[in-house]
Amino acid sequence: MKMLMMFACMCLAFLLMLNFNTQAQTHKKVSPQAKGAIIGGAGGAVAGGLIGHGVGGAVIGAAVGAGGGYIIGNESRRAAEKKRRIAWRRAHPRHHHHYKTTTTTVVTTH
């Protein structure tokens, strides 16, 4: 149990270091996919360590958690983009309609 707590603390320290290092170098935001992968990987490592009783379980849990977190983050990003597109279309109604001009010819016979 003591080793698991050390592993969890090391994972938390790594995540904090990664976050501060990213902010110190550039002011870019971390993508939702990366956030999901980091959080999922850390959570999966802790859960895998508890369930699998060792480093092997933690590694497998981290891999599964990171993959799942990436997928969830990607879906979150896609949903946000869809909401932004819908809002833009509502704000700019003339830009997304395709207006077609049609002419009608009437033929009369006597």
Side-chain angles (χ1 to χ4, degrees):
M1 188 65 155
K2 186 177 180 183
M3 187 171 160
L4 179 63
M5 291 301 290
M6 285 187 355
F7 182 76
C9 289
M10 287 175 52
C11 285
L12 182 62
F14 174 75
L15 292 175
L16 291 174
M17 178 191 67
L18 181 67
N19 190 23
F20 289 134
N21 191 22
T22 302
Q23 290 177 358
Q25 290 180 1
T26 61
H27 294 285
K28 291 183 179 180
K29 291 184 177 180
V30 178
S31 70
Q33 296 96 326
K35 285 181 186 176
I38 291 169
I39 294 169
V46 172
L50 290 172
I51 294 168
H53 301 293
V55 178
V59 170
I60 293 170
V64 171
Y70 178 85
I71 291 170
I72 291 170
N74 189 44
E75 292 302 314
S76 171
R77 178 194 57 83
R78 290 179 63 201
E81 283 180 5
K82 185 176 181 180
K83 286 180 184 178
R84 272 195 303 272
R85 280 194 308 269
I86 290 170
W88 189 88
R89 286 179 184 152
R90 285 183 180 153
H92 303 90
R94 297 186 68 205
H95 291 282
H96 71 279
H97 290 291
H98 299 286
Y99 297 105
K100 294 182 180 178
T101 306
T102 59
T103 57
T104 306
T105 305
V106 177
V107 177
T108 57
T109 56
H110 293 272

